[in-house]
Amino acid sequence: MPPVLDVDVLLLFSTALAAKRRPAELVEIVAALDLVNGNIPGEEKLSEAFARLGTRGLLQEAGGGIALTPAAEKLIEILPRKGEHAERLFELKGLLGTHATSADGPLINLAPEQLRAAILAHRAAAAGRAKNLLVPKPKPESTQARPGQRQRKPMPKARKR
């Protein structure tokens, strides 16, 4: 059984986030990687990870993008729906460790130059005024009540008869 690398887990999870309804483009996968991990692995590591996940039968090229295979979709469905990214990545790493690999998958050969161009396009979009829809909504830090929201008056004490 081949070892499960962290970049493989990150790439598979990011592809699952980016390819919900259609095959994801490289820029979308890079944006999901940035969202999940906070930084983007190197082009060479990503190129090798695409090749490994393709030959293991978890990723495929489809419609000008990258999509999950049915085996990978089953792994993603097992993950808990509500949870932090770190918890879901930990679970996915365990699932990939026990996953029976099929060596019949096609090789996904992406040159590091293609990945570098996608990373640069993502960074340019992040620096611009475009809105990244993969970024989660910020949570409010203050717990104080909103203005105009008052508490109810307490019920009067019951009188003795």
Side-chain angles (χ1 to χ4, degrees):
M1 176 169 27
V4 178
L5 301 177
D6 288 339
V7 70
D8 294 348
V9 177
L10 279 170
L11 183 61
L12 186 63
F13 186 68
S14 299
T15 305
L17 285 178
K20 288 280 186 183
R21 291 176 178 78
R22 59 177 175 73
E25 298 176 6
L26 286 179
V27 177
E28 295 169 336
I29 295 173
V30 168
L33 273 168
D34 192 20
L35 169 70
V36 170
N37 195 30
N39 64 359
I40 303 166
E43 300 93 16
E44 292 82 20
K45 286 184 179 184
L46 284 176
S47 178
E48 293 168 2
F50 272 113
R52 272 192 305 273
L53 291 174
T55 56
R56 287 181 74 180
L58 296 172
L59 290 181
Q60 63 186 359
E61 287 184 290
I66 306 293
L68 297 176
T69 61
E73 287 177 4
K74 288 179 185 175
L75 291 176
I76 297 297
E77 286 175 3
I78 296 173
L79 294 177
R81 295 222 181 254
K82 293 188 178 182
E84 297 296 322
H85 291 307
E87 297 169 9
R88 297 178 77 190
L89 287 171
F90 181 75
E91 290 289 329
L92 184 59
K93 188 169 186 174
L95 291 171
L96 280 176
T98 60
H99 175 67
T101 61
S102 63
D104 60 350
L107 177 70
I108 299 176
N109 192 7
L110 294 174
E113 291 78 26
Q114 288 176 302
L115 294 167
R116 185 175 304 119
I119 291 171
L120 292 175
H122 167 67
R123 288 185 181 152
R129 300 188 72 167
K131 184 176 181 182
N132 185 356
L133 298 177
L134 290 175
V135 176
K137 294 180 182 176
K139 297 179 182 175
E141 294 180 15
S142 65
T143 58
Q144 92 185 44
R146 297 179 297 178
Q149 299 291 321
R150 292 184 224 127
Q151 293 181 348
R152 290 182 163 197
K153 291 183 180 179
M155 293 283 294
K157 293 185 179 181
R159 287 192 253 170
K160 292 185 182 180
R161 295 183 184 197

